[in-house]
Amino acid sequence: MLNSKIIGVGHYVPERVITNHDLEQWMDTSDEWIRERTGIITRHWVKEGDTVSGLGLEAAKKALDHAGLKAEDIDFIIFASMASDHDFPGAGCFLQEKMGLPGVPSMDIRNACTGFIYALSTADKFIKTGTYKNILVVGAEIQSTGLDLSTRGRDMAVLFGDGAGAVVVTATEEKDKGILTTHLHADGRFAKKLWCEWPSVTHHPRITKEMCETDRIYPKMEGRFVFKYAVTYFPQVVQEALEATGYSVEDIDLFIPHQANQRITEAVAQRLGLPWEKVVSNIHKYGNTTAASIPIAMSEAFQEGRIKDGDLVCLAAFGAGFTWGSVLMRW
Ligand code: COA
């Protein structure tokens, strides 16, 4: 029986830093409001011409370097993102072209903030069934170009950042290392609690000039509702992973949650009874980077020496859909 194991991690964020004070110039908000409610101080936003596959490529190069592999060693690409370089196809094919891997399968996963967990879980299954040996899993996002930067959109616009993270997952015969269990969930009854309504195929044509003059082309969220479900489902899905493997919260060496909001992360850690030093939080620097947030946080934690050989590492996410999930692994 093969196991799947992460052997390379990398991340990349665009150079352009947007502070809370920058946002104050465009909308009625304040550094104090943003810090207090979200913990965010800065986020990185792309410049004109940047692509989500391009961000993914930079992260992928670093993950490959870390793994000691070349692009040609990759036999499957999984790209988690809400965005693509163009309306279609998905960013996975644009990345595959940039990597020079014609013929290598490339799959797109569009599960918002839980996208990376869905992608990693998919990679795990393809490796455990012996289908592929080295899988590149990318979480990348460009949110900034789709936000309403006026006061009307301030509740969403202050939260999001752009960036990418990538991991190389490989097949190993080691019994006690690698991904131990993955758990995925969704509840479409709440799809419209965090969504973007237009463009929509229900309209003929799906996008019109009139639409662009309304706020219905921008993402919308019932913030308090989302918050309530996030702090319930995050701990639940971590417990599910622990129960499946016979571990307890005390056994976790490092918890890397999706970076939605500092207050959500603190509430989840408290509900689980996890000491703060075992929790990775970098939202103050990057904001919420959706599918990119977990691999960025994992890559940084690794660089900072916070993930050591043999550590029990738990990943968990919650986001639009609603979707939520967890991965428990032995590093
Ligand atoms: N700057 C200043 N004021 C703002 C603001 C901003 N950026 N955004 C909203 N406000 C205002 C509101 O208009 C409201 O004003 P009012 O009281 O005069 O009506 C007030 O602040 C409170 O708004 P509310 O939405 O109730 O704030 P909140 O305490 O719920 O905090 C969030 C808002 C978004 C930070 C919070 O709901 C949250 O974190 N939700 C989860 C978000 C999330 O993580 N989503 C992604 C999941 S993956």
Side-chain angles (χ1 to χ4, degrees):
M1 170 75 179
L2 287 168
N3 259 341
S4 70
K5 186 182 164 193
I6 292 178
I7 56 161
V9 286
H11 72 280
Y12 175 80
V13 289
E15 276 168 27
R16 191 172 152 230
V17 177
I18 304 291
T19 66
N20 293 343
H21 296 296
D22 291 328
L23 296 174
E24 286 170 359
Q25 296 167 35
W26 304 318
M27 62 191 82
D28 180 14
T29 190
S30 67
D31 178 51
E32 193 192 354
W33 192 98
I34 300 169
R35 279 184 199 233
E36 228 169 63
R37 309 271 175 140
T38 72
I40 301 166
I41 301 172
T42 56
R43 72 285 289 142
H44 292 242
W45 282 2
V46 289
K47 60 179 183 340
E48 187 87 31
D50 284 344
T51 58
V52 72
S53 64
L55 300 186
L57 177 68
E58 295 308 316
K61 282 186 202 161
K62 292 179 186 178
L64 282 167
D65 270 357
H66 177 208
L69 296 182
K70 295 195 193 61
E72 307 79 79
D73 297 318
I74 294 299
D75 42 25
F76 189 35
I77 298 169
I78 309 180
F79 200 108
S81 184
M82 289 290 288
S84 183
D85 299 358
H86 300 282
D87 197 33
F88 73 87
C93 286
F94 291 109
L95 173 68
Q96 189 247 37
E97 193 269 331
K98 288 186 167 76
M99 292 181 71
L101 295 174
V104 169
S106 188
M107 176 198 246
D108 289 279
I109 290 193
R110 205 162 176 258
N111 283 48
C113 299
T114 318
F116 185 76
I117 297 288
Y118 269 75
L120 195 53
S121 176
T122 306
D124 177 54
K125 305 305 178 250
F126 271 111
I127 283 178
K128 285 183 174 151
T129 54
T131 314
Y132 299 117
K133 185 168 185 294
N134 295 314
I135 303 182
L136 176 69
V137 182
V138 179
E141 211 72 63
I142 294 180
Q143 286 277 5
S144 61
T145 52
L147 299 169
D148 179 357
L149 298 183
S150 71
T151 297
R152 189 178 65 177
R154 65 182 178 176
D155 60 325
M156 291 295 272
V158 302
L159 300 177
F160 294 98
D162 306 331
V167 300
V168 176
V169 190
T170 200
T172 173
E173 281 176 9
E174 285 175 281
K175 296 263 171 297
D176 52 346
K177 287 276 177 76
I179 295 175
L180 306 174
T181 190
T182 74
H183 300 267
L184 305 177
H185 294 280
D187 193 338
R189 288 176 300 170
F190 305 122
K192 294 182 180 176
K193 298 291 181 188
L194 174 51
W195 72 318
C196 185
E197 186 183 1
W198 287 347
S200 163
V201 293
T202 58
H203 288 267
H204 300 236
R206 65 182 68 174
I207 185 160
T208 62
K209 218 159 120 192
E210 293 70 44
M211 274 182 184
C212 298
E213 278 147 23
T214 74
D215 67 345
R216 290 159 77 179
I217 58 162
Y218 296 111
K220 293 275 171 338
M221 171 174 71
E222 282 184 37
R224 290 187 177 218
F225 191 92
V226 172
F227 194 99
K228 202 177 78 187
Y229 276 82
V231 299
T232 306
Y233 286 146
F234 258 115
Q236 233 175 59
V237 80
V238 170
Q239 289 293 358
E240 203 180 325
L242 293 171
E243 275 159 31
T245 48
Y247 288 108
S248 63
V249 169
E250 294 74 51
D251 296 317
I252 296 176
D253 294 301
L254 200 66
F255 177 52
I256 310 177
H258 162 58
Q259 308 286 304
N261 178 318
Q262 180 72 4
R263 288 192 310 163
I264 291 179
T265 302
E266 284 172 2
V268 170
Q270 197 190 18
R271 285 186 183 199
L272 283 168
L274 260 176
W276 190 246
E277 60 273 16
K278 288 187 172 186
V279 180
V280 176
S281 171
N282 62 8
I283 193 156
H284 56 289
K285 291 191 279 185
Y286 305 124
N288 178 345
T289 55
T290 327
S293 94
I294 290 179
I296 293 175
M298 199 192 314
S299 171
E300 276 201 342
F302 184 80
Q303 281 178 353
E304 290 162 7
R306 293 186 69 187
I307 309 180
K308 293 174 291 304
D309 200 37
D311 276 356
L312 191 67
V313 178
C314 184
L315 316 178
F318 174 87
F322 290 157
T323 53
W324 62 105
S326 60
V327 173
L328 190 67
M329 63 183 129
R330 179 70 70 188
W331 200 266

